[in-house]
Amino acid sequence: MNVYKCAVLLLLPFILTGCWSKYELQNMNYATAVGVDYVDGQYTIYAQLLDFSTVAKLEGQQKAEQPPVWIGRGKGISFTEAANDLYTTAQQRLNWGQISAILFSERLLKERKVGEVLELINRYREIRYLAWVFSTRDPLDDILISTPFFRLSPKASILHNPEQNYRQRSILAPIRLQKFVMDSNEKAKISYIPELSIRKDQWKENQKPHELLRFSGIQIYDKDKYYARMSLEDIIGLPWLNKHTIRVPVNLFSDKKLIADLVAEKPEYDVKPSIKYGKAYFDISINVKAGVNELHADVTEQELTQMAQKEIERQIRQTFQTAVEKEIDIYNLGESLFRKNPYEWKRIASGTVLNKDSLRTINVNLQIVYPGRYKLSP
């Protein structure tokens, strides 16, 4: 009997399954961002690889050299074939689980190929929905190769970490892939993708120009329909009707002369839809608190408040009119009608929900809570 037990114990190592599917961390390359283009009927994929040992910065240690950034390119008639083309020269297994940014070219959007790319992402479990999504009109590899200040890793740029920049100047809210997919599949909403570009003339390192990423506008894309591009000047009113807005500068002029610089924080808004003579109309109310950064004229607090309220209303209406001309519901006003009265929305949405007169009243209530070191006249 003991002989049989010993025989079983000796056979156990041969019948137990091993971890054949496991890979050592050092034997893999990690893609941190991916760019997708569509040229002449073919997909082009750009993969950004980083050495993660250079991402963490030790306290008190200055990097002597810029951490290396590797950019790979693959082509194919499908997204999968382009990825397989990339594998032909990948010296080790390529892991897509660390991707934190996805970049679409404007050409891909206009060719309405985003849906095919998202189809693969939906099926491929390594790529996460928490990745940031961007568009660009610049060459994709130029965006992916761009590096931030102090020889830091690209992980510190707005491509991978846009929230810090947005907290200081909330002009254009970054969008995660999850929200983009949700909004683009919502009947009553318009989805947009923030646009990145490279600015070459603003910063220098030791008197040498250093190219840096910046937000330059948005691309409006809904399901498989491409609408248009809007610049930052076109969307100047967008922050006032965005619940994620944190901090917005307000410059006040009179006869082209600067009167004051204000900073508004966390505006709260409410949209009330109504139907009249078969058309949709919307009334907006906004409550916002602001502080005075600079004051260049002798004005009272009441005058300053009135000027700021008129300026905010002007920005909102300007963006609305620009968007309506492109048949874009930039503020998603139609969604408020859909939530309140879906029957009326469905009837009107067979054509265009908005017209140039749909935005009826805008009531801005601004309160100056921080006048700076000097008190304002009442």
Side-chain angles (χ1 to χ4, degrees):
M1 192 68 177
N2 291 332
V3 175
Y4 288 112
K5 289 182 179 180
C6 291
V8 171
L9 291 174
L10 291 173
L11 289 173
L12 278 177
F14 297 97
I15 62 176
L16 291 175
T17 59
C19 301
W20 300 104
S21 61
K22 296 193 70 174
Y23 295 88
E24 296 295 333
L25 295 178
Q26 67 270 18
N27 294 332
M28 286 193 289
N29 293 321
Y30 297 90
T32 52
V34 60
V36 189
D37 199 358
Y38 190 79
V39 185
D40 298 329
Q42 282 194 323
Y43 286 95
T44 303
I45 295 179
Y46 295 85
Q48 179 195 71
L49 305 182
L50 299 180
D51 181 1
F52 280 96
S53 65
T54 65
V55 171
K57 182 178 182 297
L58 299 179
E59 184 178 356
Q61 179 179 348
Q62 177 67 43
K63 291 183 172 65
E65 297 180 356
Q66 179 67 50
V69 182
W70 287 80
I71 306 295
R73 183 179 65 180
K75 292 184 178 181
I77 59 174
S78 68
F79 187 92
T80 302
E81 186 174 334
N84 287 329
D85 180 42
L86 202 61
Y87 295 153
T88 60
T89 52
Q91 304 300 295
Q92 294 176 305
R93 179 181 175 87
L94 191 57
N95 183 288
W96 302 90
Q98 299 299 319
I99 287 179
S100 58
I102 299 174
L103 188 64
F104 297 136
S105 70
E106 184 182 55
R107 187 165 36 234
L108 181 85
L109 297 172
K110 290 183 175 179
E111 291 289 342
R112 297 182 298 178
K113 295 295 182 179
V114 173
E116 295 183 13
V117 177
L118 293 178
E119 170 69 15
L120 175 74
I121 293 175
N122 288 339
R123 296 178 182 275
Y124 198 63
R125 61 182 180 271
E126 279 192 18
I127 301 178
R128 303 173 184 176
Y129 269 104
L130 293 179
W132 301 104
V133 60
F134 301 98
S135 63
T136 186
R137 296 186 297 168
D138 291 346
L140 295 177
D141 49 349
D142 287 353
I143 299 292
L144 295 175
I145 204 70
S146 178
T147 55
F149 298 135
F150 307 116
R151 302 182 182 88
L152 295 176
S153 162
K155 276 287 188 178
S157 71
I158 62 175
L159 177 66
H160 294 279
N161 187 20
E163 290 179 302
Q164 296 303 318
N165 179 275
Y166 182 71
R167 288 178 179 275
Q168 192 167 34
R169 189 171 182 267
S170 307
I171 302 300
L172 180 54
I175 302 294
R176 292 192 185 272
L177 179 62
Q178 179 187 39
K179 178 172 174 55
F180 171 70
V181 172
M182 291 174 58
D183 289 349
S184 62
N185 289 317
E186 185 71 45
K187 291 182 179 180
K189 295 188 73 173
I190 291 292
S191 56
Y192 72 83
I193 304 177
E195 180 187 271
L196 290 178
S197 64
I198 295 176
R199 183 164 180 178
K200 305 177 181 180
D201 60 351
Q202 192 165 34
W203 292 87
K204 291 183 178 180
E205 180 185 8
N206 296 327
Q207 295 302 314
K208 296 181 180 179
H210 188 90
E211 299 179 356
L212 289 164
L213 297 179
R214 65 169 180 174
F215 289 112
S216 53
I218 60 175
Q219 299 278 358
I220 314 296
Y221 193 94
D222 186 19
K223 293 184 180 178
D224 289 327
K225 181 178 180 181
Y226 175 79
Y227 286 86
R229 174 187 181 270
M230 298 182 70
S231 66
L232 289 182
E233 292 75 18
D234 293 334
I235 60 172
I236 191 172
L238 191 60
W240 304 113
L241 273 74
N242 189 320
K243 63 180 180 180
H244 299 294
T245 297
I246 300 173
R247 189 174 184 271
V248 188
V250 184
N251 302 324
L252 303 180
F253 292 86
S254 178
D255 297 327
K256 298 183 179 181
K257 181 181 178 181
L258 181 63
I259 300 299
D261 287 325
L262 275 61
V263 175
E265 296 183 351
K266 299 179 180 179
E268 299 177 353
Y269 69 94
D270 181 59
V271 178
K272 293 183 178 179
S274 60
I275 301 296
K276 188 175 183 180
Y277 303 122
K279 293 183 178 182
Y281 294 92
F282 302 90
D283 299 298
I284 298 176
S285 59
I286 300 174
N287 293 314
V288 60
K289 296 179 180 180
V292 180
N293 273 12
E294 295 184 30
L295 190 62
H296 299 276
D298 187 14
V299 292
T300 65
E301 181 175 350
Q302 182 179 4
E303 291 172 336
L304 201 60
T305 300
Q306 292 175 348
M307 291 177 64
Q309 292 174 164
K310 289 181 180 179
E311 173 60 18
I312 293 173
E313 180 179 355
R314 183 196 68 81
Q315 293 180 7
I316 294 173
R317 290 194 182 277
Q318 177 180 313
T319 297
F320 175 81
Q321 292 298 332
T322 302
V324 166
E325 292 174 2
K326 301 176 184 289
E327 297 184 351
I328 298 171
D329 182 5
I330 188 65
Y331 298 129
N332 283 317
L333 299 176
E335 183 190 15
S336 63
L337 177 62
F338 176 77
R339 302 298 179 191
K340 182 178 180 180
N341 195 335
Y343 173 79
E344 288 291 345
W345 177 87
K346 186 176 181 179
R347 183 179 62 82
I348 297 175
S350 58
T352 303
V353 175
L354 300 181
N355 58 75
K356 63 179 182 178
D357 300 318
S358 290
L359 185 52
R360 194 162 50 185
T361 63
I362 301 176
N363 179 27
V364 181
N365 178 26
L366 182 137
Q367 181 182 4
I368 297 178
V369 296
Y370 179 68
R373 293 184 178 182
Y374 304 100
K375 293 183 178 180
L376 293 171
S377 301

